[in-house]
Amino acid sequence: QVQLVESGGGPVQAGGSLRLSCVASGYGYTRYQMAWFRQAPGAEREGVAVIDNIRATRYADSVKGRFTISRDNAKKTLYLQMNSLKPEDTAMYYCAASSRWSLSVDDVNYWGQGTQVTVSS
């Protein structure tokens, strides 16, 4: 079992930055690919970024060049640095532990509770 707790969300103006963190506890954290997903009101949950244990990364086209995912295995912590934020980035952001290096919700084994990001224009 892996438990995930996100933090770092909040309100921000367009063009600003936020850094999300996700602290893991439990057994087997390093076995998983770690990812960030987001879900806007009325929309499906979508993959934002994923990182594997050798720190290979993959991003959704909508965030490439603006968001950076990283992980610190010693601290069992996942990060998402979000720069040049846009109103369309407004969503609940979820940390996830996945069995595959993918941005699919179908591959997620564990979810965090989410942290809200609200970008105003």
Side-chain angles (χ1 to χ4, degrees), residues 57-78:
T57 58
R58 178 181 289 178
Y59 295 92
D61 288 343
S62 59
V63 306
K64 281 181 182 176
R66 300 189 298 122
F67 290 10
T68 302
I69 189 171
S70 60
R71 66 190 293 173
D72 184 333
N73 286 342
K75 296 182 178 179
K76 292 187 177 182
T77 303
L78 178 72

PDB file of all heavy atoms in Angstrom, residues 57-78:
ATOM      1  N   THR A  57      10.957  11.260 -18.252  1.00  0.00           N
ATOM      2  CA  THR A  57       9.697  11.991 -18.084  1.00  0.00           C
ATOM      3  C   THR A  57       8.884  12.015 -19.376  1.00  0.00           C
ATOM      4  O   THR A  57       9.413  11.864 -20.486  1.00  0.00           O
ATOM      5  CB  THR A  57       9.967  13.434 -17.629  1.00  0.00           C
ATOM      6  OG1 THR A  57      10.797  14.083 -18.604  1.00  0.00           O
ATOM      7  CG2 THR A  57      10.649  13.471 -16.286  1.00  0.00           C
ATOM      8  N   ARG A  58       7.612  12.225 -19.178  1.00  0.00           N
ATOM      9  CA  ARG A  58       6.689  12.367 -20.305  1.00  0.00           C
ATOM     10  C   ARG A  58       5.654  13.401 -19.892  1.00  0.00           C
ATOM     11  O   ARG A  58       5.215  13.411 -18.737  1.00  0.00           O
ATOM     12  CB  ARG A  58       6.025  11.033 -20.619  1.00  0.00           C
ATOM     13  CG  ARG A  58       5.006  11.059 -21.738  1.00  0.00           C
ATOM     14  CD  ARG A  58       4.412   9.679 -21.920  1.00  0.00           C
ATOM     15  NE  ARG A  58       5.384   8.752 -22.501  1.00  0.00           N
ATOM     16  CZ  ARG A  58       5.122   7.465 -22.730  1.00  0.00           C
ATOM     17  NH1 ARG A  58       3.943   6.961 -22.393  1.00  0.00           N
ATOM     18  NH2 ARG A  58       6.021   6.689 -23.272  1.00  0.00           N
ATOM     19  N   TYR A  59       5.253  14.255 -20.848  1.00  0.00           N
ATOM     20  CA  TYR A  59       4.313  15.332 -20.548  1.00  0.00           C
ATOM     21  C   TYR A  59       3.155  15.360 -21.531  1.00  0.00           C
ATOM     22  O   TYR A  59       3.314  15.007 -22.714  1.00  0.00           O
ATOM     23  CB  TYR A  59       5.026  16.691 -20.616  1.00  0.00           C
ATOM     24  CG  TYR A  59       6.106  16.885 -19.576  1.00  0.00           C
ATOM     25  CD1 TYR A  59       7.428  16.559 -19.853  1.00  0.00           C
ATOM     26  CD2 TYR A  59       5.801  17.393 -18.320  1.00  0.00           C
ATOM     27  CE1 TYR A  59       8.419  16.717 -18.890  1.00  0.00           C
ATOM     28  CE2 TYR A  59       6.788  17.573 -17.357  1.00  0.00           C
ATOM     29  CZ  TYR A  59       8.094  17.226 -17.653  1.00  0.00           C
ATOM     30  OH  TYR A  59       9.075  17.394 -16.712  1.00  0.00           O
ATOM     31  N   ALA A  60       2.036  15.847 -21.051  1.00  0.00           N
ATOM     32  CA  ALA A  60       0.935  16.160 -21.947  1.00  0.00           C
ATOM     33  C   ALA A  60       1.352  17.349 -22.810  1.00  0.00           C
ATOM     34  O   ALA A  60       2.084  18.242 -22.361  1.00  0.00           O
ATOM     35  CB  ALA A  60      -0.313  16.510 -21.149  1.00  0.00           C
ATOM     36  N   ASP A  61       0.883  17.361 -24.053  1.00  0.00           N
ATOM     37  CA  ASP A  61       1.259  18.447 -24.968  1.00  0.00           C
ATOM     38  C   ASP A  61       0.892  19.822 -24.401  1.00  0.00           C
ATOM     39  O   ASP A  61       1.606  20.807 -24.635  1.00  0.00           O
ATOM     40  CB  ASP A  61       0.581  18.251 -26.319  1.00  0.00           C
ATOM     41  CG  ASP A  61       1.169  17.094 -27.108  1.00  0.00           C
ATOM     42  OD1 ASP A  61       2.285  16.643 -26.768  1.00  0.00           O
ATOM     43  OD2 ASP A  61       0.508  16.634 -28.052  1.00  0.00           O
ATOM     44  N   SER A  62      -0.195  19.880 -23.660  1.00  0.00           N
ATOM     45  CA  SER A  62      -0.688  21.164 -23.169  1.00  0.00           C
ATOM     46  C   SER A  62       0.220  21.805 -22.125  1.00  0.00           C
ATOM     47  O   SER A  62       0.091  23.006 -21.852  1.00  0.00           O
ATOM     48  CB  SER A  62      -2.093  20.989 -22.577  1.00  0.00           C
ATOM     49  OG  SER A  62      -2.064  20.043 -21.525  1.00  0.00           O
ATOM     50  N   VAL A  63       1.134  21.031 -21.537  1.00  0.00           N
ATOM     51  CA  VAL A  63       1.988  21.585 -20.484  1.00  0.00           C
ATOM     52  C   VAL A  63       3.474  21.529 -20.835  1.00  0.00           C
ATOM     53  O   VAL A  63       4.304  22.022 -20.055  1.00  0.00           O
ATOM     54  CB  VAL A  63       1.757  20.869 -19.136  1.00  0.00           C
ATOM     55  CG1 VAL A  63       0.278  20.891 -18.771  1.00  0.00           C
ATOM     56  CG2 VAL A  63       2.292  19.451 -19.145  1.00  0.00           C
ATOM     57  N   LYS A  64       3.821  20.959 -21.966  1.00  0.00           N
ATOM     58  CA  LYS A  64       5.229  20.868 -22.348  1.00  0.00           C
ATOM     59  C   LYS A  64       5.875  22.240 -22.395  1.00  0.00           C
ATOM     60  O   LYS A  64       5.315  23.189 -22.935  1.00  0.00           O
ATOM     61  CB  LYS A  64       5.356  20.195 -23.723  1.00  0.00           C
ATOM     62  CG  LYS A  64       5.230  18.694 -23.696  1.00  0.00           C
ATOM     63  CD  LYS A  64       5.384  18.122 -25.097  1.00  0.00           C
ATOM     64  CE  LYS A  64       5.201  16.615 -25.089  1.00  0.00           C
ATOM     65  NZ  LYS A  64       5.262  16.040 -26.454  1.00  0.00           N
ATOM     66  N   GLY A  65       7.066  22.323 -21.810  1.00  0.00           N
ATOM     67  CA  GLY A  65       7.795  23.578 -21.787  1.00  0.00           C
ATOM     68  C   GLY A  65       7.404  24.503 -20.643  1.00  0.00           C
ATOM     69  O   GLY A  65       8.091  25.505 -20.396  1.00  0.00           O
ATOM     70  N   ARG A  66       6.325  24.180 -19.949  1.00  0.00           N
ATOM     71  CA  ARG A  66       5.874  25.018 -18.831  1.00  0.00           C
ATOM     72  C   ARG A  66       5.947  24.281 -17.493  1.00  0.00           C
ATOM     73  O   ARG A  66       6.219  24.902 -16.467  1.00  0.00           O
ATOM     74  CB  ARG A  66       4.434  25.479 -19.068  1.00  0.00           C
ATOM     75  CG  ARG A  66       4.235  26.293 -20.331  1.00  0.00           C
ATOM     76  CD  ARG A  66       2.844  26.896 -20.400  1.00  0.00           C
ATOM     77  NE  ARG A  66       1.791  25.872 -20.436  1.00  0.00           N
ATOM     78  CZ  ARG A  66       0.818  25.780 -19.538  1.00  0.00           C
ATOM     79  NH1 ARG A  66       0.746  26.626 -18.525  1.00  0.00           N
ATOM     80  NH2 ARG A  66      -0.106  24.823 -19.654  1.00  0.00           N
ATOM     81  N   PHE A  67       5.680  22.995 -17.496  1.00  0.00           N
ATOM     82  CA  PHE A  67       5.662  22.196 -16.272  1.00  0.00           C
ATOM     83  C   PHE A  67       6.876  21.274 -16.248  1.00  0.00           C
ATOM     84  O   PHE A  67       7.309  20.771 -17.289  1.00  0.00           O
ATOM     85  CB  PHE A  67       4.412  21.333 -16.195  1.00  0.00           C
ATOM     86  CG  PHE A  67       3.121  22.079 -15.971  1.00  0.00           C
ATOM     87  CD1 PHE A  67       3.050  23.464 -16.051  1.00  0.00           C
ATOM     88  CD2 PHE A  67       1.964  21.378 -15.681  1.00  0.00           C
ATOM     89  CE1 PHE A  67       1.860  24.139 -15.843  1.00  0.00           C
ATOM     90  CE2 PHE A  67       0.764  22.033 -15.473  1.00  0.00           C
ATOM     91  CZ  PHE A  67       0.718  23.417 -15.556  1.00  0.00           C
ATOM     92  N   THR A  68       7.376  21.019 -15.032  1.00  0.00           N
ATOM     93  CA  THR A  68       8.487  20.087 -14.852  1.00  0.00           C
ATOM     94  C   THR A  68       8.183  19.150 -13.696  1.00  0.00           C
ATOM     95  O   THR A  68       7.908  19.609 -12.577  1.00  0.00           O
ATOM     96  CB  THR A  68       9.798  20.833 -14.562  1.00  0.00           C
ATOM     97  OG1 THR A  68      10.079  21.740 -15.628  1.00  0.00           O
ATOM     98  CG2 THR A  68      10.950  19.846 -14.430  1.00  0.00           C
ATOM     99  N   ILE A  69       8.230  17.853 -13.968  1.00  0.00           N
ATOM    100  CA  ILE A  69       8.019  16.851 -12.926  1.00  0.00           C
ATOM    101  C   ILE A  69       9.371  16.349 -12.442  1.00  0.00           C
ATOM    102  O   ILE A  69      10.315  16.208 -13.227  1.00  0.00           O
ATOM    103  CB  ILE A  69       7.153  15.681 -13.460  1.00  0.00           C
ATOM    104  CG1 ILE A  69       6.745  14.746 -12.317  1.00  0.00           C
ATOM    105  CG2 ILE A  69       7.855  14.936 -14.583  1.00  0.00           C
ATOM    106  CD1 ILE A  69       5.714  13.700 -12.734  1.00  0.00           C
ATOM    107  N   SER A  70       9.473  16.098 -11.144  1.00  0.00           N
ATOM    108  CA  SER A  70      10.702  15.554 -10.577  1.00  0.00           C
ATOM    109  C   SER A  70      10.349  14.724  -9.349  1.00  0.00           C
ATOM    110  O   SER A  70       9.241  14.831  -8.820  1.00  0.00           O
ATOM    111  CB  SER A  70      11.693  16.668 -10.209  1.00  0.00           C
ATOM    112  OG  SER A  70      11.130  17.546  -9.245  1.00  0.00           O
ATOM    113  N   ARG A  71      11.289  13.898  -8.926  1.00  0.00           N
ATOM    114  CA  ARG A  71      11.058  13.077  -7.748  1.00  0.00           C
ATOM    115  C   ARG A  71      12.342  12.960  -6.946  1.00  0.00           C
ATOM    116  O   ARG A  71      13.435  12.949  -7.507  1.00  0.00           O
ATOM    117  CB  ARG A  71      10.530  11.685  -8.123  1.00  0.00           C
ATOM    118  CG  ARG A  71      11.483  10.818  -8.886  1.00  0.00           C
ATOM    119  CD  ARG A  71      10.809   9.548  -9.421  1.00  0.00           C
ATOM    120  NE  ARG A  71      10.398   8.628  -8.383  1.00  0.00           N
ATOM    121  CZ  ARG A  71       9.670   7.523  -8.612  1.00  0.00           C
ATOM    122  NH1 ARG A  71       9.271   7.242  -9.838  1.00  0.00           N
ATOM    123  NH2 ARG A  71       9.332   6.732  -7.623  1.00  0.00           N
ATOM    124  N   ASP A  72      12.171  12.884  -5.623  1.00  0.00           N
ATOM    125  CA  ASP A  72      13.279  12.672  -4.703  1.00  0.00           C
ATOM    126  C   ASP A  72      12.972  11.385  -3.953  1.00  0.00           C
ATOM    127  O   ASP A  72      12.161  11.387  -3.012  1.00  0.00           O
ATOM    128  CB  ASP A  72      13.400  13.860  -3.746  1.00  0.00           C
ATOM    129  CG  ASP A  72      14.600  13.754  -2.809  1.00  0.00           C
ATOM    130  OD1 ASP A  72      15.033  12.609  -2.509  1.00  0.00           O
ATOM    131  OD2 ASP A  72      15.080  14.793  -2.354  1.00  0.00           O
ATOM    132  N   ASN A  73      13.572  10.293  -4.369  1.00  0.00           N
ATOM    133  CA  ASN A  73      13.238   8.994  -3.783  1.00  0.00           C
ATOM    134  C   ASN A  73      13.656   8.904  -2.319  1.00  0.00           C
ATOM    135  O   ASN A  73      13.012   8.213  -1.528  1.00  0.00           O
ATOM    136  CB  ASN A  73      13.863   7.863  -4.582  1.00  0.00           C
ATOM    137  CG  ASN A  73      13.144   7.634  -5.907  1.00  0.00           C
ATOM    138  OD1 ASN A  73      12.015   8.079  -6.093  1.00  0.00           O
ATOM    139  ND2 ASN A  73      13.813   6.959  -6.823  1.00  0.00           N
ATOM    140  N   ALA A  74      14.722   9.584  -1.935  1.00  0.00           N
ATOM    141  CA  ALA A  74      15.162   9.556  -0.537  1.00  0.00           C
ATOM    142  C   ALA A  74      14.108  10.187   0.369  1.00  0.00           C
ATOM    143  O   ALA A  74      13.903   9.745   1.502  1.00  0.00           O
ATOM    144  CB  ALA A  74      16.492  10.278  -0.383  1.00  0.00           C
ATOM    145  N   LYS A  75      13.435  11.205  -0.133  1.00  0.00           N
ATOM    146  CA  LYS A  75      12.383  11.880   0.635  1.00  0.00           C
ATOM    147  C   LYS A  75      10.996  11.344   0.305  1.00  0.00           C
ATOM    148  O   LYS A  75      10.012  11.808   0.881  1.00  0.00           O
ATOM    149  CB  LYS A  75      12.415  13.388   0.357  1.00  0.00           C
ATOM    150  CG  LYS A  75      13.682  14.079   0.821  1.00  0.00           C
ATOM    151  CD  LYS A  75      13.607  15.576   0.543  1.00  0.00           C
ATOM    152  CE  LYS A  75      14.851  16.300   1.037  1.00  0.00           C
ATOM    153  NZ  LYS A  75      14.790  17.761   0.751  1.00  0.00           N
ATOM    154  N   LYS A  76      10.918  10.396  -0.631  1.00  0.00           N
ATOM    155  CA  LYS A  76       9.629   9.855  -1.079  1.00  0.00           C
ATOM    156  C   LYS A  76       8.693  10.986  -1.485  1.00  0.00           C
ATOM    157  O   LYS A  76       7.516  11.008  -1.110  1.00  0.00           O
ATOM    158  CB  LYS A  76       8.989   8.998   0.015  1.00  0.00           C
ATOM    159  CG  LYS A  76       9.729   7.701   0.300  1.00  0.00           C
ATOM    160  CD  LYS A  76       8.939   6.843   1.266  1.00  0.00           C
ATOM    161  CE  LYS A  76       9.610   5.520   1.512  1.00  0.00           C
ATOM    162  NZ  LYS A  76       8.810   4.658   2.430  1.00  0.00           N
ATOM    163  N   THR A  77       9.218  11.905  -2.239  1.00  0.00           N
ATOM    164  CA  THR A  77       8.447  13.087  -2.610  1.00  0.00           C
ATOM    165  C   THR A  77       8.490  13.309  -4.110  1.00  0.00           C
ATOM    166  O   THR A  77       9.539  13.193  -4.744  1.00  0.00           O
ATOM    167  CB  THR A  77       8.972  14.335  -1.878  1.00  0.00           C
ATOM    168  OG1 THR A  77       8.921  14.115  -0.464  1.00  0.00           O
ATOM    169  CG2 THR A  77       8.129  15.552  -2.216  1.00  0.00           C
ATOM    170  N   LEU A  78       7.331  13.623  -4.651  1.00  0.00           N
ATOM    171  CA  LEU A  78       7.143  13.957  -6.056  1.00  0.00           C
ATOM    172  C   LEU A  78       6.814  15.441  -6.145  1.00  0.00           C
ATOM    173  O   LEU A  78       6.116  15.980  -5.280  1.00  0.00           O
ATOM    174  CB  LEU A  78       5.989  13.133  -6.633  1.00  0.00           C
ATOM    175  CG  LEU A  78       5.598  13.375  -8.075  1.00  0.00           C
ATOM    176  CD1 LEU A  78       6.666  12.801  -9.008  1.00  0.00           C
ATOM    177  CD2 LEU A  78       4.237  12.748  -8.365  1.00  0.00           C
TER     178      LEU A  78
END
